[in-house]
């Protein structure tokens, strides 16, 4: 028995990264160019200035994917963080690609934030009033956008057709016109397949605590149209990690050929401005240690599910208004108007912004463990000192491995026979 599994271990090692389900890790850094334009100074863990934060996160921290949102005409919005028009995204997308990272495009199909309660069509689309007209406009806009990005050297690797679209898109709501909603979403997907065939198509929803709602959403869409089921997960809005795990597990059972990605997540390192709807789920505390503990627990939970291959931290670059205004005295008008307190840098007004550091380390480095065997939840001691002990990816000791399943023994992953 020991020799058989030893051979399998060798085979698993030879397979390399294919034995690891984590593939994409990084963050939505949509405001980074704006912060740089307003002289934001980011420091590393030793207090030294970071010349290029994108390169530092890639080379130093091991992030390999960066998400950027896109609005049609953000000057119509007048909201914090809504500045990313096509020219902005072209420049930033090319920079991401040039850094050797993957570029995830988040198309909002709006001039402003598209979210669970707001899916407002762009002002310039007012003439497109019927479902058919909106569907064709979504198709042409998506195709033209992707062609423009490709021509600029900023071809996305992943494309979100809409942002948090559980309830609707471009003013068409699932509760009142499910067929119309389906048509619009699928035409957006068609455009991605035609203009950017190598890209993975993500449909992004929220409410992961409502398993039946999420499963039903994806069952309503032609499965050939998309590749990835993207979820937002914030414990203060979306309940516990176990609730999230239930949904990921169920999605894997219903859609075995699809992948799940957490395309947005974050946790406060200090006080929360608004009252959370699921406060009891925030068991880690609003501190640096709490933020680190949340991310560590999230990675351990995601490691249980082979169908989950992506993790994106939302707004890690958060740094208030930017260093050329006095955010402490509310001299607003630059990047954003206040601190959300979920990013990965502390709010200091002089000498640059220090990274949030917990006793165990920095989230910046922790995130990359999603890509490695460290995410299995099995301690190094348990997995290496007992060479014959076998564990599943949840870190539980297994006495009778199932055939063709993935396990860990001696610190290595292997596929059993």
């Amino acid at each position: 028995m020991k020799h058989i599994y030893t051979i399998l271990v060798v085979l698993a090692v030879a397979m390399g990264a294919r034995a690891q389900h984590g593939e994409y890790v990084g963050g939505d850094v949509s405001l980074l160019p704006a912060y740089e334009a307003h002289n934001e100074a980011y420091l590393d863990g030793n207090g030294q200035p970071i010349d290029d934060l994108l390169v530092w996160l890639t080379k130093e921290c091991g992030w390999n994917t960066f998400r950027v949102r896109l609005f049609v005409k953000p000057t119509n919005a007048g909201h914090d963080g809504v500045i990313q028009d096509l020219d902005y995204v072209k420049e930033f997308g090319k920079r991401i690609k040039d850094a050797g990272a993957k570029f995830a495009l988040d198309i909002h199909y709006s001039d402003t934030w598209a979210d669970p309660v707001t899916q407002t069509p762009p002002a310039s689309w007012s003439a497109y009033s019927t479902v058919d007209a909106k569907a064709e406009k979504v198709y042409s806009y998506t195709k033209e956008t992707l062609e423009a990005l490709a021509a600029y050297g900023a071809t996305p690797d992943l494309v979100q057709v809409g942002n948090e679209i559980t309830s609707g898109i471009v003013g068409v709501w699932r509760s009142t016109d499910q067929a119309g909603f389906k048509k619009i979403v699928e035409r957006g997907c068609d455009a991605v397949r035609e203009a950017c065939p190598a890209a993975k198509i993500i449909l992004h929803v929220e409410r992961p605590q409502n398993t039946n709602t999420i499963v039903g959403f994806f069952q309503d869409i032609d499965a050939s149209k998309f590749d990835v089921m993207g979820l937002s997960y914030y414990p203060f809005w979306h309940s516990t990690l176990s609730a999230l795990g239930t949904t990921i597990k169920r999605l894997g059972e219903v859609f075995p050929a699809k992948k799940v990605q957490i395309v947005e997540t974050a946790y406060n390192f200090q006080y929360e401005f608004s009252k959370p709807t699921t406060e009891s789920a925030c068991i880690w505390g609003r501190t640096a240690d709490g933020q680190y503990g949340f991310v560590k627990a999230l990675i351990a939970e995601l490691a249980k599910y082979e169908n989950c291959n992506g993790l994106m931290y939302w707004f890690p670059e958060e740094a208030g208004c930017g260093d050329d205004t006095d955010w402490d005295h509310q001299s607003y008008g630059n990047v954003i108007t206040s601190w959300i307190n979920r990013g990965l840098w502390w709010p200091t007004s002089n000498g640059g912004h220090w990274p949030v550091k917990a006793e165990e380390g920095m989230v910046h480095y922790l995130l990359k463990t999603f890509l490695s065997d460290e995410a299995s939840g099995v301690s190094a001691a348990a997995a290496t000192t007992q060479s014959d002990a076998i564990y599943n990816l949840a870190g539980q000791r297994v006495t009778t491995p199932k055939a063709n399943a993935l396990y860990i023994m001696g610190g290595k992953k292997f596929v059993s026979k």
Side-chain angles (χ1 to χ4, degrees):
M1 173 69 77
K2 178 178 178 180
H3 297 298
I4 293 174
Y5 283 119
T6 300
I7 293 171
L8 290 170
V9 167
V10 173
L11 289 174
V13 172
M15 290 169 62
R18 294 181 63 85
Q20 302 168 0
H21 69 279
E23 185 175 357
Y24 304 93
V25 73
D28 184 319
V29 291
S30 296
L31 278 177
L32 179 56
Y35 277 124
E36 292 170 334
H38 287 289
N39 304 314
E40 184 54 58
Y42 292 96
L43 306 179
D44 64 18
N46 297 314
Q48 298 301 308
I50 298 171
D51 291 334
D52 186 324
L53 186 61
L54 190 72
V55 171
W56 185 79
L57 290 170
T58 304
K59 304 300 183 185
E60 175 70 17
C61 301
W63 298 17
N64 64 15
T65 307
F66 296 95
R67 178 182 186 243
V68 183
R69 52 186 173 266
L70 170 66
F71 302 98
V72 176
K73 191 175 182 181
T75 52
N76 289 334
H79 288 296
D80 269 5
V82 182
I83 58 175
Q84 297 83 6
D85 61 11
L86 182 56
D87 286 340
Y88 181 110
V89 174
K90 283 163 62 176
E91 293 283 348
F92 196 24
K94 186 177 188 306
R95 181 178 161 195
I96 290 168
K97 300 286 285 189
D98 288 347
K102 297 180 178 68
F103 170 31
L105 177 67
D106 176 15
I107 308 177
H108 279 240
Y109 298 106
S110 181
D111 293 332
T112 189
W113 294 107
D115 56 37
V117 296
T118 307
Q119 294 284 340
T120 307
S124 60
W125 293 15
S126 59
Y128 305 96
S129 57
T130 66
V131 165
D132 286 345
K134 287 183 176 182
E136 291 313 304
K137 183 59 179 177
V138 164
Y139 169 84
S140 62
Y141 169 76
T142 303
K143 188 171 183 179
E144 291 164 8
T145 294
L146 294 175
E147 289 172 345
L149 288 169
Y152 200 78
T155 303
D157 300 279
L158 305 106
V159 179
Q160 278 188 215
V161 176
N163 186 82
E164 294 188 331
I165 59 173
T166 310
S167 298
I169 191 169
V170 293
V172 176
W173 303 98
R174 290 179 65 228
S175 59
T176 56
D177 191 353
Q178 185 168 320
F181 170 84
K182 170 182 166 71
K183 177 178 288 188
I184 292 170
V185 171
E186 291 184 355
R187 285 302 279 157
C189 294
D190 290 341
V192 181
R193 288 277 189 247
E194 293 177 24
C196 200
K200 300 296 184 184
I201 298 175
I202 303 173
L203 297 186
H204 174 203
V205 296
E206 74 296 334
R207 307 179 211 173
Q209 73 276 29
N210 298 329
T211 301
N212 290 338
T213 297
I214 299 304
V215 171
F217 173 94
F218 289 107
Q219 287 176 322
D220 288 342
I221 305 294
D222 181 346
S224 69
K225 301 292 184 179
F226 65 94
D227 305 297
V228 177
M229 298 172 284
L231 305 177
S232 288
Y233 175 67
Y234 301 93
F236 38 84
W237 291 327
H238 302 139
S239 191
T240 62
L241 284 172
S242 61
L244 171 67
T246 296
T247 295
I248 296 174
K249 181 176 184 291
R250 182 62 180 150
L251 288 172
E253 293 167 348
V254 178
F255 304 97
K258 304 295 182 185
K259 292 297 184 181
V260 174
Q261 293 182 11
I262 306 302
V263 297
E264 288 187 24
T265 192
Y267 191 85
N268 297 77
F269 59 81
Q270 59 180 6
Y271 52 86
E272 169 75 82
F273 285 108
S274 58
K275 183 174 177 59
T277 55
T278 58
E279 173 66 22
S280 61
C282 300
I283 62 175
W284 301 273
R286 294 324 200 283
T287 64
D289 287 342
Q291 185 187 70
Y292 189 95
F294 162 71
V295 175
K296 185 175 182 179
L298 174 62
I299 291 172
E301 180 67 28
L302 299 181
K304 300 175 185 178
Y305 311 102
E306 286 294 315
N307 60 322
C308 182
N309 75 336
L311 174 60
M312 298 288 109
Y313 198 94
W314 187 78
F315 200 13
E317 77 279 21
E318 179 187 2
C321 298
D323 267 355
D324 57 358
T325 59
D326 185 359
W327 66 267
D328 202 28
H329 290 84
Q330 299 185 352
S331 300
Y332 299 153
N334 279 353
V335 183
I336 61 172
T337 60
S338 62
W339 281 89
I340 301 173
N341 297 308
R342 298 178 205 148
L344 301 183
W345 271 267
W346 286 102
T348 59
S349 57
N350 296 303
H353 294 275
W354 286 76
V356 177
K357 296 172 69 175
E359 291 184 8
E360 287 191 67
M362 292 162 52
V363 170
H364 314 65
Y365 297 105
L366 175 63
L367 279 166
K368 68 180 179 182
T369 65
F370 175 75
L371 302 175
S372 71
D373 287 339
E374 295 175 62
S376 67
V378 179
S379 69
T384 57
T385 61
Q386 302 179 53
S387 60
D388 291 328
I390 300 170
Y391 297 85
N392 62 24
L393 295 185
Q396 301 165 324
R397 182 78 175 266
V398 175
T399 56
T400 307
K402 297 179 180 179
N404 300 314
L406 190 63
Y407 294 98
I408 294 175
M409 183 179 69
K412 306 294 184 182
K413 286 184 177 180
F414 69 94
V415 179
S416 62
K417 287 188 176 180

